[in-house]
Amino acid sequence: MADLSITAGSVKAQTGSGTKTGVAGETITAGQALYYASNGKYYKASTSTATTAKVVGIALNGASADQPLSMLTSGDIDIGGTVAIGAVYVASDTAGNIAAAADNGSGDYVTVIGIGKTTAIIDVSINVSGIAHA
């Protein structure tokens, strides 16, 4: 499977979802997975290191470096793309992207983002394992 194909303008938090705000450390697009860096800013998450795999949320808006950013931290999100119902979604090798769990390969740090709830909605319940895939 490939990374989810996300239409940024269609990404929306659903009623009752947890959100928070912060400052972007680089250019971010709505729908990208984010991690929090020691400089107090948010960057695109990836599976390449234990640090960059610590997903804390999904961007709800686009932002350039040093601009305000909103993110979904838990609950349902219309991800703006087609989702497989019951599929487990994780941080991708490609910074900011979201992929099916089956795409994790050897050495990838595994962070579960959520599970497909409908063909458009992911039930986000982030689990940062800190474990590299064998």
Side-chain angles (χ1 to χ4, degrees):
M1 289 184 113
D3 292 346
L4 290 179
S5 179
I6 296 171
T7 302
S10 298
V11 174
K12 296 181 204 82
Q14 302 299 290
T15 302
S17 294
T19 61
K20 69 179 179 179
T21 59
V23 176
E26 64 182 325
T27 301
I28 304 290
T29 302
Q32 290 185 315
L34 306 172
Y35 78 94
Y36 183 72
S38 58
N39 67 357
K41 297 179 184 178
Y42 293 88
Y43 294 85
K44 294 177 238 182
S46 75
T47 61
S48 59
T49 71
T51 298
T52 62
K54 290 182 182 177
V55 175
V56 295
I58 308 298
L60 293 171
N61 64 282
S64 295
D66 299 320
Q67 289 186 324
L69 182 66
S70 293
M71 69 199 82
L72 180 131
T73 56
S74 63
D76 294 347
I77 186 170
D78 183 332
I79 200 63
T82 303
V83 175
I85 298 170
V88 176
Y89 289 95
V90 297
S92 170
D93 288 343
T94 304
N97 287 6
I98 298 171
D103 287 350
N104 272 143
S106 181
D108 290 345
Y109 284 86
V110 180
T111 298
V112 174
I113 291 173
I115 297 173
K117 188 172 184 178
T118 71
T119 58
I121 305 285
I122 294 176
D123 178 4
V124 175
S125 181
I126 298 168
N127 181 353
V128 178
S129 74
I131 299 168
H133 195 281

